[in-house]
Amino acid sequence: MVFEAPLDARKKYVFGSHPHGVIGYASQLIAGCTGMGIEAHFPGLVVRGVTMPATFCIPLFRDYALAMGCLSCDRSSIRRILGDRHHRLHQSLLVVVGGAEESMLAHDGSADLVLLKRRGFVREAIHAGCDLVPVYNFNENAIYRLVPNPPGSLVRRFELAVKSVCGFTVLLFHGRNPFFTPYRTKLVSVVGTPIPVPRDYNPSEELVDHYHRIYVDELTRLYRKYKPKYAPAGPDIRFVA
């Protein structure tokens, strides 16, 4: 992990993690492993990942998510954690912003993100008065290999059909062997400089759009600054939705 700026364990943050990748491996390490994630570098700063509510309805997946300290991404859960009555806990959130839609774009050698239409995490940060922090996980998309799924293909239609019914999708991918061993790659998570936001219990769309634009610009700057060192052969960042 690389940090552009120190984090204050007395504050709360909303971290945006990019890209989703096939299984969100880096995001799980950041928010679910106290020995490897942000908490190891800044003791006292508790970071909880959020995932779709359907995860807690699936046997085994539910237990795994709970063991990792995850909570549902619904508004009530987020506000309960970031709200005043939990102030002493100083729990921060990590959101894999691109979600299932972005996971279908997780091809090795790509840096395609779904972000331009995702504003909910910015709105909740403003509602709670929490700093926004962009995180880019270099080489996340190189951990596994997706089966080719161009728009209109049978594979993509299958993925979209599952997503429309379940809210998540089932990806066709492979690892180094039949046991889905990940490909060897150097995974580097760069945590950007916190973006201060004002507290507003009823933020206007103009205010949300303003800080969303700042966030997109900061994420772009973060990627372009560290790409020559951690992914020199990779493409430029691209926002596809």
Side-chain angles (χ1 to χ4, degrees):
M1 296 194 71
V2 176
F3 295 88
E4 278 205 317
L7 301 174
D8 188 346
R10 298 169 298 177
K11 298 181 65 174
K12 297 180 181 182
Y13 301 94
V14 174
F15 298 89
S17 185
H18 315 265
H20 184 286
V22 174
I23 61 172
Y25 193 76
S27 300
Q28 295 177 53
L29 292 177
I30 292 171
C33 297
T34 56
M36 300 181 67
I38 292 176
E39 297 174 41
H41 298 270
F42 300 98
L45 181 59
V46 179
V47 182
R48 300 186 64 181
V50 299
T51 185
M52 67 195 82
T55 301
F56 299 96
C57 300
I58 305 173
L60 299 182
F61 281 95
R62 173 185 182 276
D63 301 279
Y64 177 76
L66 291 174
M68 296 285 280
C70 291
L71 65 143
S72 172
C73 64
D74 64 88
R75 180 178 297 177
S76 61
S77 295
I78 290 175
R79 292 189 176 180
R80 186 172 66 252
I81 293 297
L82 297 180
D84 285 335
R85 59 179 175 172
H86 284 266
H87 179 71
R88 293 184 180 180
L89 296 179
H90 297 290
Q91 294 187 98
S92 298
L93 297 182
L94 181 135
V95 183
V96 187
V97 180
E101 186 175 351
E102 191 174 272
S103 69
M104 294 183 284
L105 307 174
H107 292 281
D108 184 23
S110 69
D112 294 344
L113 302 183
V114 175
L115 175 59
L116 300 182
K117 61 183 180 181
R118 302 295 173 94
R119 289 172 164 76
F121 73 106
V122 177
R123 180 176 291 104
E124 294 308 315
I126 296 174
H127 183 274
C130 299
D131 291 359
L132 283 164
V133 185
V135 180
Y136 195 89
N137 308 303
F138 287 93
N139 301 316
E140 171 74 48
N141 290 343
I143 296 175
Y144 289 107
R145 302 289 190 271
L146 281 180
V147 171
N149 60 346
S153 66
L154 182 61
V155 174
R156 178 62 68 87
R157 293 202 301 270
F158 166 76
E159 293 169 343
L160 291 173
V162 174
K163 180 177 178 294
S164 66
V165 174
C166 303
F168 60 90
T169 189
V170 175
L171 299 174
L172 302 181
F173 66 96
H174 60 87
R176 285 192 291 145
N177 54 44
F179 301 101
F180 292 97
T181 302
Y183 285 94
R184 296 182 184 276
T185 183
K186 183 178 182 180
L187 187 60
V188 180
S189 295
V190 180
V191 181
T193 302
I195 303 169
V197 300
R199 186 165 200 173
D200 190 330
Y201 290 110
N202 188 29
S204 65
E205 289 302 314
E206 291 77 10
L207 186 63
V208 173
D209 288 345
H210 173 71
Y211 282 98
H212 184 270
R213 285 194 298 270
I214 293 176
Y215 182 90
V216 172
D217 290 342
E218 273 297 292
L219 180 62
T220 302
R221 179 196 63 81
L222 191 74
Y223 180 86
R224 291 175 177 170
K225 177 180 178 181
Y226 291 94
K227 173 186 173 296
K229 183 174 183 179
Y230 299 120
D236 193 15
I237 193 170
R238 186 172 67 152
F239 302 102
V240 299

